Amino acid sequence: MNEGSAQLVTLGESLARLDNPVVGPLRHARSLDLGVAGAESNVAIGFRRLGGSAAWAGRIGDDEFGRLIHMTLAGQGVDVSRVVVDPVAPTALLVKERRSAQLTRVHYYRSGSAGSRLSPADVPEDLIRAAGVLHVTGITAALSDTARDAVYAAAQTAREAGVPVSLDLNFRRALWSPSEAGKHLRPLVELADVVFATEAEARLLVGGTDAARLAAGLNALGPREAIVKRGPLGAVACCDGDLHDEPAYPIMAVDPVGAGDAFAAAYLAERVRGRQITERLSTAACAGAYAVAVSGDWEGLPSREDLAVMRTAEDVVR
């Protein structure tokens, strides 16, 4: 990796986020909190908070939401020098509704958005070739044909340069059907070195009745490391054919959104540092637990100091 380059490069969609600050139907809200969301940019922030250097590339609108995204990521220390400002299309919008204490609904307004207009011309090839790892997701691949082409181009650029490719399947039913997702994600999985998936997402591509078989099935498609996330049940990884079972940290969840991004960011941060698979999984599980204890998509992404606090048995740290 060249001096001054980012250890992690992510490519994808970021959105403005509106949050209902109270539990209940959105129609009863009298105010909404404004913030930023996006799987790939979340991972960039999480990686940065754990001490690594990160860059995010994507398209934003020439509007206040786009400027908010740019300002937020830059403020978190993420390199946004390759972000493209679309002069025509608006920044996408996400609205998060806490419908009940147990259920969060997420509504998207992204048709014709700047992020959906991402194309191979927006891929920062030089940045990717100099990176420690490239991270992409199935969300951006589902936005449009050109966005999917951009994700493929980024992964192929990394592969040709010997840069590891990380892929989170991140299936979103609102964007495409299970059959479409399976068809288009398989070539990406075959290009990847690391794959993250839930059990349901893994079944889009491979058969299996349990997490271990699913992880082994993904591993057999080509990635050296396949991690199946199981929420409160922990995670199972298959690394070069060897299975590893990581228990979850017990935690009272406040907001489940962003847990998977925290997990991926921590896993990749430890991978870039040369840590073994067991330490990568342990740190990732701790980060995922910490993230769900805080409201927001990226706000609860932990620092290393936060992880140390999570691993103490004390209720109050003085």
Side-chain angles (χ1 to χ4, degrees):
M1 189 172 65
N2 297 334
E3 185 178 354
S5 57
Q7 293 173 307
L8 171 75
V9 174
T10 67
L11 173 81
E13 178 198 39
S14 284
L15 313 88
R17 184 192 75 224
L18 292 176
D19 263 299
N20 184 355
V22 298
V23 174
L26 192 62
R27 63 183 176 272
H28 296 316
R30 294 297 173 264
S31 64
L32 295 172
D33 294 330
L34 177 61
V36 169
E40 297 90 348
S41 52
N42 286 349
V43 172
I45 293 173
F47 189 94
R48 184 73 185 87
R49 285 190 175 177
L50 292 171
S53 57
W56 175 75
R59 289 181 79 92
I60 55 176
D62 186 13
D63 50 33
E64 284 300 303
F65 288 158
R67 285 183 272 279
L68 171 65
I69 290 169
H70 194 281
M71 179 184 72
T72 301
L73 294 180
Q76 293 298 310
V78 175
D79 179 358
V80 288
S81 62
R82 302 307 180 87
V83 173
V84 176
V85 177
D86 194 307
V88 177
T91 303
L93 178 65
L94 173 158
V95 179
K96 189 157 62 173
E97 176 187 27
R98 293 181 177 85
R99 189 62 181 80
S100 70
Q102 290 77 37
L103 176 64
T104 297
R105 288 177 176 168
V106 180
H107 311 278
Y108 297 96
Y109 301 87
R110 55 176 24 138
S111 179
S113 69
S116 72
R117 287 158 56 91
L118 190 72
S119 76
D122 301 320
V123 174
E125 294 182 354
D126 57 332
L127 207 60
I128 291 171
R129 292 191 185 101
V133 62
L134 168 73
H135 180 72
V136 294
T137 81
I139 297 174
T140 300
L143 292 179
S144 67
D145 291 344
T146 61
R148 183 162 56 251
D149 289 344
V151 174
Y152 287 148
Q156 288 166 344
T157 296
R159 190 78 171 184
E160 291 166 3
V163 174
V165 177
S166 166
L167 169 67
D168 194 327
L169 296 189
N170 261 337
F171 173 65
R172 296 293 185 267
R173 191 173 296 276
L175 292 175
W176 51 6
S177 68
S179 60
E180 286 178 306
K183 172 186 174 182
H184 291 296
L185 288 175
R186 188 181 183 99
L188 275 175
V189 169
E190 292 171 351
L191 284 171
D193 298 272
V194 182
V195 171
F196 300 97
T198 64
E199 290 181 79
E201 289 167 346
R203 290 191 180 98
L204 297 173
L205 295 162
V206 297
T209 56
D210 57 45
R213 287 188 176 89
L214 291 167
L218 290 174
N219 188 215
L221 293 180
R224 292 191 59 190
E225 301 157 40
I227 302 96
V228 175
K229 301 169 292 184
R230 307 180 67 209
L233 297 178
V236 173
C238 187
C239 181
D240 292 328
D242 295 327
L243 287 170
H244 304 267
D245 196 339
E246 182 65 31
Y249 275 71
I251 196 76
M252 182 175 291
V254 172
D255 185 352
V257 177
D261 298 331
F263 186 102
Y267 184 93
L268 295 175
E270 297 296 61
R271 192 182 194 277
V272 166
R273 296 174 77 204
R275 301 298 189 255
Q276 296 299 310
I277 183 71
T278 52
E279 188 170 350
R280 297 177 204 169
L281 290 170
S282 176
T283 303
C286 187
Y290 189 93
V292 302
V294 179
S295 293
D297 284 56
W298 62 268
E299 290 84 348
L301 295 168
S303 65
R304 295 215 174 259
E305 182 180 2
D306 294 328
L307 294 181
V309 171
M310 269 290 292
R311 285 167 165 156
T312 68
E314 303 175 37
D315 294 328
V316 179
V317 179
R318 303 180 188 276

